[in-house]
Amino acid sequence: MPSLPSPSLLTLAATFAPGVILEHYLLLAAILFAIGMLGVVTRRNALTMFMSIELMLNAANLTFLAFARVHADLSGHVTAILVMAVAAAEAAVGLAIVIALQRVRGTTNVDEVRTLKL
Amino acid sequence: MPSAADLLILLPTVALAFGACVLLLSEAFLECRNRGYQAAVAAGAAGLALSLALLQIAEPVTLSNDSLFRTVVQPDLFQSFIVATVSGGLLLSVLLSKGFLRARDAERGEYYALLLFAASGMTLLAMAADLVLVFIALEIMSLATYALSAWLRRDKRATEAALKYFLLGAFSSALYLYGVALAYGATGSTQLAELPKATLNPWIGGPAIALISVGFAFKVAAVPFHMWAPDVYEGAPTPVTAFMAVGVKAAAFAAFFRTIAVAFGGAPQHWGPVVEALAILSMIVGNLLALPQQNVKRMLAYSSIAHAGYALVGLSSASVYAGRVAGAEGLLFYLAAYTVAAVGAFGIAAVIERNELDAEKAWDLERFAGLAQRRPVLALFMAVFLLSLAGIPATAGFMGKLLVFRAGLDAGQLALVIVGVVTSAIAAYYYLRVIVSMYFHAPPGETEDLDRSAATSWGLGLACAAVVVLGIGPGTVMEIARRGAELLF
């Protein structure tokens, strides 16, 4: 049976951030998620849009970690690490596509990339 | 004790991933100018996965009680059916890729390896019973298909398609993941079986279910989450489009069904009306937008959205107790029927396509004119695929539509069935237009030689045979789909 987070870490967190409760983490994650979503919708540069998506993934991670603490369950931590690995792989593929686009088109602005008609 | 027999469930996935590794290593270490063997290796791996899935259907695998996989995968007939469908679609796409890639001097081991990795993700998606495994399987599948759609990387359309697919795909994955995080918070677990508990906490559970569903709706390209599909399907290399249209759809529908209809089967009031609306919108918008298309590949892309709508009828029927088995059965059969017909139709679009990059009017309706005189067999195959997509009797598509509409009637969703039948009639127009062009119009003046390679002929022939067999003698497959559906609930 894996042990729960060590009490010293808990006290450490309580010392440096007294009164920070689950809702604070969830709210922070929700705000990050909203910023990311807004970025994808409003920004037109492929790289900025991609960074916004990463922000959304990290908001999900933060939510996983906050709930993992509440449930005293390690699977949330494991999930967060898996998500980071997936995000890294996604970055590799995504940046390769952006580079290919820059070479062929000379731009990374998604509004200028429209050979395919609507 | 966890036993080795537990690994049996993963055999098709392992066969695909192993084939992909062999291809990657051979590309790196074999100094062989002739890459013809690569398609054979890929087809072999796909055929092996298909046979293993069929073996699983004949002899269902079970997991021991203390298996490590017990909480994450569901070893049922439903997943075997989807795995067989995906492997079959993969086999046909590999056969159709060879001539296409050779004509463009783009035949590399990584291409087939990516196809196989994508398919291994799809097989995991079909069997996943845990939201985190679903996420990872989705990403394995999607990352490979993003890279595949940019395969012709000097082609403007292909890079554009890849960018759009990547940005919207990653966005939908992020939505899905945040939904999973919230569901984890509401239930303390990511298992599908625990998911219904999330409804007890509406403040977290509601958004969780909504975000997860939106993520899936993006992947299956249901209206209003379809905007990426036409551009991506048109821009991606045609054999890749074929595989994306059928494989991604079948796998994502399997996971969608498991999450929504099975896990939330007890609370249909939360998702039934939403899925019904998605189905109606997809059928209407997909078919109406396909009507004016002069570009056959783009027409097939819009029709793929409409077909997602018909498959959603099966999912929607599962929201009613009386229709849930019929709904699952219809969905399974529909996905199999769509797979063989759509791979074939896209395959012929690949044969017709001009060889050079960024060709103007590469898939125009005019290029199909007089095909019956130039290549009678090719025209006949295309006619069979299109009739099946339109749902004309004696083809696979007809049986598929029959089953989903019957499920809709069982569930008492009359509006859905009426919209389905009317839009099918509208759809017949744009499918028949291609057939008329092939058979009754004179061929254009200049005609180039079209691909006659053996792999392409085999691929098209197998797809056509499958369409006819599923249309005339669907008994066995229907029986398997029915048993798979019954065991699901």
Side-chain angles (χ1 to χ4, degrees), chain A residues 26 29-31 33 36-37 40-41 46 49-50 53 56-57 59-61 63-65 67-69 71 73-77 79 82-83 86 89-91 93-95 97-98 100-101 103-105 108 110 113-118, chain B residues 132 135-136 139 143-144 146-147 149-150 153-157 159-164 166-171 173-175 177-178 180-182 184-190 204 211 227 230-232 234-235 293 295 298 302 358:
Chain A
L26 293 187
I31 292 171
F33 190 78
M37 238 170 112
V40 175
V41 176
M49 287 170 79
F50 180 47
I53 292 171
M56 292 167 70
L57 289 178
N61 269 349
T63 313
F64 267 118
L65 294 174
F67 280 129
R69 266 293 297 277
H71 294 306
D73 173 35
L74 281 179
S75 69
H77 296 269
T79 307
L82 287 175
V83 171
V86 166
E90 204 168 63
V93 173
L95 292 179
I97 291 174
V98 173
L101 186 85
R103 286 204 181 130
V104 178
R105 298 291 182 98
T108 52
V110 291
V113 181
R114 46 174 175 198
T115 318
L116 300 162
K117 62 174 193 292
L118 276 174
Chain B
V132 175
F135 174 72
I136 292 171
E139 288 296 309
L143 289 177
Y146 303 149
S149 38
R153 64 177 190 278
R154 306 205 194 293
D155 185 275
K156 283 186 179 162
R157 282 183 304 221
T159 46
E160 175 177 343
L163 181 77
K164 287 181 176 168
F166 171 73
L167 285 177
L168 282 168
F171 181 65
S173 298
L175 291 178
L177 187 71
Y178 193 60
V180 175
L182 293 178
Y184 172 69
T187 63
S189 157
T190 52
I204 305 182
L211 285 167
M227 326 59 111
D231 286 359
V232 173
E234 186 190 340
Q293 298 301 328
N295 177 337
R298 202 170 172 84
Y302 279 113
D358 289 317

